[in-house]
Amino acid sequence: ILGISNAFLNGMSLAFYRTKITTSTNVNHLLYFFLSLLGVIIGIGCFLHVVILLFTISYSQTALDILIPVAFFVILISTYVATMVNVCLSVIRTIRIVRPFYRIRRRGVVVSIVVYGMLWLGVATADVYYWSKYKATGEEYFYCFINMSGALGLINIFHRAGLARVIEKNSKILPFLIWGVPCVIPSLICLTCSLVQLYSLRVSRQLGRGTSHKKVTITILLLTMIFFFCNTLSFTYCIAMILYQWKGYEYYLGLYTVTCLVPFVNTLLNPIILISRGHQLKAYVVGILKERRVVKVVKDHQTTMSMRLSLSTTTGGDGKPGERLIGGTHVAY
C-alpha cells in the first residue's frame, strides 16, 4: 500500500514540477521536484522490502545477497538526500523571510544536494562491503538488513585506520557521534527555522500581509514539521538502542518501524501536502484523473456500440434472423 501510494502521488507531483522547473526559476519548485523524485524512488524501495521479506521466509540466500544491498542503497541514500532537501527547503524559506531580497542560486542548491548524496553513497558502499563480510544466514538476514544504519561501514573504516582501541573505549559514544549527529543536526536546524517561520506568520497576521506569502510559508512549515517529527522519532529510538543495548525481536521490529516505515510515511505525506495546498498542482492531478475517467468511459461506450453493431448485423437489425447476399442469392442466417 505504501509503495503504490508513494509511487502514484509522488509521480503526479514529479510530472507537474518537472514542467515547472523548466519554465520557472523558483527554487521551491526545484526542491519540490527533488522531494517528489526521491518519493518515487523510496516507493520502489517499499516494493523491494516486500520482496526481501518473502525471500527471507523462503530462505533464498542468493536472492537476498542481491536484494538487500540494492534495497539498502535505495533506502539509505534516498532518505538522507531527502533529509538534505527538507533542510534546504526550510533554510531557504527562512532566509527569504529574514532577507527578502537575498538571491538564492539554484546551482548552489543542486551542488550541495549532490555532494551530500555522494558522501552517503560512499558510506553506503562501505556498509555493504562490510555487511558482505559479516552477513548471517537464514532468519538472521532480516536482523542484519535492518541493522545496516550507516555506522557499520564508518566504524570498520576506523578499525582499518588503527583506531580499534578508541572504538572499544567508546563503544556507545562513537556510534552516536558517527550516526546520530547527521540525524540530530537536521532536526535542530528544521526546528529553529520552524520557529522563525511561526513568528513570521504571526507578524504577517498583525501587519495584514498578502495571503500568498502566508500560504507558501505554511506549506513549507507543514513539510518541515512532518520531517522533524519522523526524523526525530527515528534517531531517538536508534540512539536509545545503542545506549541501553536493546536486543530481541520486539526491539528489532521497532527499529524496522522507525527506520523504514516512518520514512515511507513521511514521503507519502509530502505529496499529499503539496497537492492539498497547491491549487495548480491540485488542478493538474484532478485533470489527469478526469481525463483517464473520460477515456475509460469512451472506451466502454465504443465497446458497447461495437457489441450492439455486431448483434445488429447478426440479427438483421430487428432482433430476427437476417439474410446476406452471397453470389446473387439471398442466404438466411
Side-chain angles (χ1 to χ4, degrees):
I1 293 174
L2 285 173
I4 294 174
S5 302
N6 264 303
F8 176 74
L9 293 176
N10 283 288
M12 290 283 192
S13 179
L14 177 65
F16 175 78
Y17 286 111
R18 183 174 62 86
T19 59
K20 277 289 186 181
I21 61 176
T22 57
T23 59
S24 172
T25 58
N26 193 326
V27 179
N28 291 340
H29 292 164
L30 178 65
L31 294 174
Y32 294 157
F33 171 80
F34 278 128
L35 276 181
S36 303
L37 176 61
L38 294 168
V40 172
I41 296 174
I42 292 176
I44 297 173
C46 293
F47 291 109
L48 290 177
H49 275 229
V50 175
V51 176
I52 287 172
L53 294 177
L54 292 176
F55 278 115
T56 302
I57 296 173
S58 60
Y59 302 105
S60 302
Q61 296 182 12
T62 304
L64 290 173
D65 287 343
I66 300 173
L67 288 173
I68 287 180
V70 172
F72 176 70
F73 268 105
V74 170
I75 298 300
L76 180 78
I77 297 175
S78 299
T79 303
Y80 277 104
V81 174
T83 299
M84 184 62 176
V85 174
N86 278 283
V87 171
C88 288
L89 192 63
S90 182
V91 170
I92 289 174
R93 188 57 192 169
T94 305
I95 292 175
R96 288 274 173 84
I97 292 172
V98 178
R99 300 181 63 183
F101 299 103
Y102 184 81
R103 184 181 178 184
I104 305 295
R105 297 184 179 274
R106 294 178 58 177
R107 182 177 298 179
V109 174
V110 174
V111 169
S112 63
I113 293 173
V114 171
V115 170
Y116 190 80
M118 294 300 294
L119 291 175
W120 281 106
L121 178 63
V123 174
T125 303
D127 243 341
V128 171
Y129 171 75
Y130 288 110
W131 171 82
S132 63
K133 293 181 62 175
Y134 305 126
K135 64 184 177 182
T137 57
E139 295 179 350
E140 296 182 4
Y141 259 108
F142 177 68
Y143 302 124
C144 193
F145 168 64
I146 62 177
N147 267 318
M148 294 170 66
S149 58
L152 178 61
L154 290 177
I155 289 176
N156 281 282
I157 290 175
F158 272 79
H159 268 293
R160 294 179 67 86
L163 300 176
R165 292 184 179 180
V166 177
I167 296 176
E168 292 175 359
K169 293 181 179 179
N170 303 278
S171 58
K172 294 182 179 180
I173 299 176
L174 190 61
F176 169 76
L177 294 176
I178 293 176
W179 182 78
V181 169
C183 297
V184 175
I185 292 177
S187 288
L188 294 177
I189 293 175
C190 288
L191 179 61
T192 304
C193 292
S194 297
L195 294 176
V196 175
Q197 293 169 25
L198 285 172
Y199 178 78
S200 170
L201 289 174
R202 181 182 177 184
V203 173
S204 298
R205 180 181 300 179
Q206 293 175 351
L207 297 179
R209 291 183 180 177
T211 57
S212 177
H213 169 82
K214 292 189 292 185
K215 185 176 180 180
V216 174
T217 303
I218 291 174
T219 301
I220 295 177
L221 182 62
L222 289 173
L223 293 172
T224 303
M225 292 308 297
I226 289 176
F227 163 75
F228 169 79
F229 174 76
C230 295
N231 188 62
T232 304
L233 178 63
S234 297
F235 76 73
T236 302
Y237 187 91
C238 296
I239 291 173
M241 284 197 70
I242 295 174
L243 296 178
Y244 298 104
Q245 297 184 350
W246 291 345
K247 294 181 180 180
Y249 175 78
E250 62 275 10
Y251 296 119
Y252 284 115
L253 188 60
L255 179 64
Y256 179 78
T257 300
V258 299
T259 57
C260 295
L261 295 183
V262 170
F264 293 161
V265 173
N266 187 10
T267 54
L268 176 60
L269 293 175
N270 288 338
I272 293 176
I273 293 174
L274 292 176
I275 293 172
S276 61
R277 298 285 305 171
H279 293 302
Q280 293 183 355
L281 178 55
K282 185 189 298 183
Y284 175 81
V285 173
V286 172
I288 290 179
L289 295 178
K290 285 185 176 180
E291 182 181 354
R292 291 185 177 181
R293 184 178 179 183
V294 170
V295 171
K296 184 178 184 301
V297 171
V298 171
K299 287 184 178 179
D300 292 342
H301 179 70
Q302 291 176 347
T303 303
T304 304
M305 293 301 295
S306 63
M307 292 177 64
R308 288 180 179 178
L309 181 61
S310 176
L311 181 62
S312 175
T313 304
T314 305
T315 60
D318 54 1
K320 298 179 181 180
E323 293 183 352
R324 179 176 296 170
L325 185 64
I326 300 179
T329 307
H330 291 276
V331 180
Y333 61 92

